[in-house]
Amino acid sequence: MTTNESLSGTALGTGGTTGETPGTTVIANTVVSTIAGIAVRETEGIYSLGGGASRALGAVKDRVSRSTDPSRGVKVEVGEKQTAIDVDVVVEYGIEILEAAREVRSRVTDAVETMTGLEVVEINIKVIDVHVPGTDEGDEGTERASSGSRVQ
Protein backbone atom coordinates (compact mmCIF):
# COMPACT_ATOMS: atom_id res chain seq x y z
CA MET A 1 0.00 0.00 0.00
CA THR A 2 1.40 3.40 -0.90
CA THR A 3 0.82 6.32 1.37
CA ASN A 4 0.84 10.02 0.77
CA GLU A 5 3.22 11.60 3.29
CA SER A 6 1.34 14.93 3.23
CA LEU A 7 -1.97 13.28 4.11
CA SER A 8 -2.39 13.44 7.85
CA GLY A 9 -4.66 10.88 9.36
CA THR A 10 -4.88 8.07 11.82
CA ALA A 11 -4.52 4.35 11.28
CA LEU A 12 -7.48 2.85 13.09
CA GLY A 13 -6.64 -0.76 12.93
CA THR A 14 -5.65 -3.61 10.77
CA GLY A 15 -7.58 -6.34 9.13
CA GLY A 16 -6.37 -9.86 9.30
CA THR A 17 -8.50 -11.25 12.09
CA THR A 18 -10.43 -14.38 11.28
CA GLY A 19 -12.07 -14.07 7.89
CA GLU A 20 -10.77 -10.58 7.11
CA THR A 21 -8.30 -9.44 4.50
CA PRO A 22 -5.16 -7.86 6.01
CA GLY A 23 -4.63 -4.11 5.68
CA THR A 24 -4.92 -0.82 7.54
CA THR A 25 -7.63 1.81 7.64
CA VAL A 26 -6.54 5.43 7.74
CA ILE A 27 -9.00 8.25 8.36
CA ALA A 28 -7.75 11.68 7.31
CA ASN A 29 -8.25 14.65 9.62
CA THR A 30 -10.36 16.30 6.93
CA VAL A 31 -12.83 13.43 7.15
CA VAL A 32 -13.39 14.06 10.86
CA SER A 33 -13.70 17.82 10.33
CA THR A 34 -16.20 17.34 7.50
CA ILE A 35 -18.35 14.97 9.57
CA ALA A 36 -18.27 17.38 12.51
CA GLY A 37 -19.06 20.39 10.30
CA ILE A 38 -22.09 18.72 8.76
CA ALA A 39 -23.36 17.69 12.21
CA VAL A 40 -22.98 21.26 13.50
CA ARG A 41 -24.79 22.75 10.50
CA GLU A 42 -27.72 20.38 11.09
CA THR A 43 -28.19 21.77 14.60
CA GLU A 44 -31.14 24.11 15.09
CA GLY A 45 -30.06 27.60 16.09
CA ILE A 46 -26.68 27.49 14.34
CA TYR A 47 -26.56 30.10 11.58
CA SER A 48 -23.06 29.42 10.23
CA LEU A 49 -19.55 28.30 11.08
CA GLY A 50 -16.22 30.09 10.99
CA GLY A 51 -14.95 33.55 11.84
CA GLY A 52 -15.47 36.73 9.86
CA ALA A 53 -12.45 36.32 7.59
CA SER A 54 -13.08 32.61 7.22
CA ARG A 55 -16.74 33.20 6.34
CA ALA A 56 -15.91 35.97 3.85
CA LEU A 57 -13.21 33.94 2.14
CA GLY A 58 -15.43 30.86 2.25
CA ALA A 59 -18.35 32.74 0.67
CA VAL A 60 -16.15 33.79 -2.26
CA LYS A 61 -14.76 30.25 -2.57
CA ASP A 62 -18.29 28.80 -2.44
CA ARG A 63 -19.50 31.10 -5.24
CA VAL A 64 -16.53 30.26 -7.44
CA SER A 65 -16.61 26.50 -6.87
CA ARG A 66 -20.42 26.31 -6.55
CA SER A 67 -20.09 24.16 -3.44
CA THR A 68 -19.73 24.69 0.26
CA ASP A 69 -16.89 23.57 2.50
CA PRO A 70 -18.50 21.64 5.36
CA SER A 71 -15.30 21.74 7.42
CA ARG A 72 -15.05 25.56 7.49
CA GLY A 73 -14.89 26.72 11.11
CA VAL A 74 -13.92 23.27 12.40
CA LYS A 75 -10.47 22.25 13.63
CA VAL A 76 -9.67 18.72 14.72
CA GLU A 77 -6.84 16.93 16.42
CA VAL A 78 -6.89 13.21 15.73
CA GLY A 79 -4.93 10.63 17.66
CA GLU A 80 -4.83 6.87 17.34
CA LYS A 81 -8.14 6.26 19.10
CA GLN A 82 -9.41 9.70 20.12
CA THR A 83 -10.19 13.09 18.65
CA ALA A 84 -10.67 16.61 19.97
CA ILE A 85 -12.72 19.15 18.02
CA ASP A 86 -12.86 22.96 18.05
CA VAL A 87 -15.81 24.72 16.40
CA ASP A 88 -16.43 28.44 15.76
CA VAL A 89 -20.14 29.16 15.34
CA VAL A 90 -22.57 31.99 14.72
CA VAL A 91 -25.89 31.44 16.49
CA GLU A 92 -29.33 32.74 15.58
CA TYR A 93 -30.63 35.60 17.72
CA GLY A 94 -33.08 34.36 20.35
CA ILE A 95 -31.59 30.88 20.62
CA GLU A 96 -30.54 29.65 24.06
CA ILE A 97 -26.79 29.42 23.46
CA LEU A 98 -25.98 26.84 26.13
CA GLU A 99 -28.74 24.53 24.87
CA ALA A 100 -27.50 24.92 21.28
CA ALA A 101 -23.96 24.09 22.47
CA ARG A 102 -25.22 20.94 24.23
CA GLU A 103 -27.02 19.90 21.03
CA VAL A 104 -23.89 20.57 18.93
CA ARG A 105 -21.79 18.41 21.28
CA SER A 106 -24.34 15.60 21.20
CA ARG A 107 -24.73 15.60 17.40
CA VAL A 108 -21.00 15.88 16.68
CA THR A 109 -20.11 13.15 19.18
CA ASP A 110 -22.74 10.79 17.77
CA ALA A 111 -21.77 11.42 14.15
CA VAL A 112 -17.99 11.21 14.59
CA GLU A 113 -18.00 8.20 16.91
CA THR A 114 -20.52 6.30 14.79
CA MET A 115 -18.83 6.96 11.46
CA THR A 116 -15.15 6.75 12.46
CA GLY A 117 -14.98 4.68 15.63
CA LEU A 118 -12.86 7.41 17.24
CA GLU A 119 -13.71 8.50 20.79
CA VAL A 120 -14.54 12.20 20.96
CA VAL A 121 -12.82 13.43 24.14
CA GLU A 122 -13.44 17.16 23.82
CA ILE A 123 -15.54 19.60 21.80
CA ASN A 124 -14.73 23.26 22.33
CA ILE A 125 -17.37 25.63 20.99
CA LYS A 126 -16.57 29.29 20.45
CA VAL A 127 -19.63 31.45 19.79
CA ILE A 128 -18.19 34.27 17.71
CA ASP A 129 -21.34 36.15 16.71
CA VAL A 130 -25.11 36.33 16.81
CA HIS A 131 -27.03 36.52 13.54
CA VAL A 132 -29.91 38.97 13.60
CA PRO A 133 -32.46 38.33 10.82
CA GLY A 134 -32.68 41.19 8.34
CA THR A 135 -29.00 42.16 8.58
CA ASP A 136 -27.59 40.09 5.71
CA GLU A 137 -27.99 40.26 1.96
CA GLY A 138 -31.01 38.26 0.96
CA ASP A 139 -32.75 38.74 4.32
CA GLU A 140 -35.94 40.74 4.52
CA GLY A 141 -35.41 44.42 5.08
CA THR A 142 -32.26 44.84 3.00
CA GLU A 143 -34.00 46.80 0.28
CA ARG A 144 -35.12 49.37 2.81
CA ALA A 145 -31.66 49.65 4.36
CA SER A 146 -29.93 50.07 1.02
CA SER A 147 -32.32 52.71 -0.32
CA GLY A 148 -30.61 55.43 1.72
CA SER A 149 -33.81 56.53 3.45
CA ARG A 150 -34.86 55.58 6.96
CA VAL A 151 -38.56 55.75 6.09
CA GLN A 152 -40.68 54.69 3.14
Side-chain angles (χ1 to χ4, degrees):
M1 176 178 130
T2 59
T3 60
N4 181 349
E5 294 292 326
S6 66
L7 176 66
S8 59
T10 300
L12 291 181
T14 58
T17 59
T18 309
E20 291 184 18
T21 304
T24 60
T25 302
V26 176
I27 297 180
N29 295 355
T30 56
V31 171
V32 176
S33 62
T34 298
I35 293 168
I38 291 169
V40 172
R41 282 178 175 77
E42 291 176 346
T43 305
E44 185 176 338
I46 301 300
Y47 178 73
S48 66
L49 278 81
S54 170
R55 284 192 325 224
L57 183 60
V60 170
K61 181 179 167 187
D62 292 348
R63 278 189 218 121
V64 171
S65 68
R66 292 196 169 111
S67 68
T68 58
D69 178 9
S71 64
R72 184 182 326 129
V74 180
K75 296 179 192 112
V76 300
E77 184 178 332
V78 181
E80 288 184 28
K81 297 180 182 186
Q82 298 176 326
T83 186
I85 302 168
D86 297 326
V87 183
D88 294 343
V89 298
V90 176
V91 297
E92 292 281 355
Y93 176 78
I95 295 298
E96 188 178 333
I97 293 173
L98 293 179
E99 183 57 37
R102 276 188 214 94
E103 184 66 19
V104 164
R105 284 187 179 94
S106 175
R107 285 177 181 257
V108 170
T109 300
D110 289 347
V112 171
E113 288 183 351
T114 299
M115 294 181 72
T116 66
L118 292 167
E119 176 189 6
V120 177
V121 294
E122 181 177 76
I123 300 175
N124 297 309
I125 300 168
K126 183 177 178 184
V127 179
I128 57 173
D129 203 356
V130 174
H131 175 256
V132 180
T135 58
D136 284 347
E137 287 183 33
D139 284 349
E140 291 182 23
T142 353
E143 290 178 27
R144 214 177 345 175
S146 63
S147 68
S149 174
R150 293 178 26 184
V151 294
Q152 287 190 4

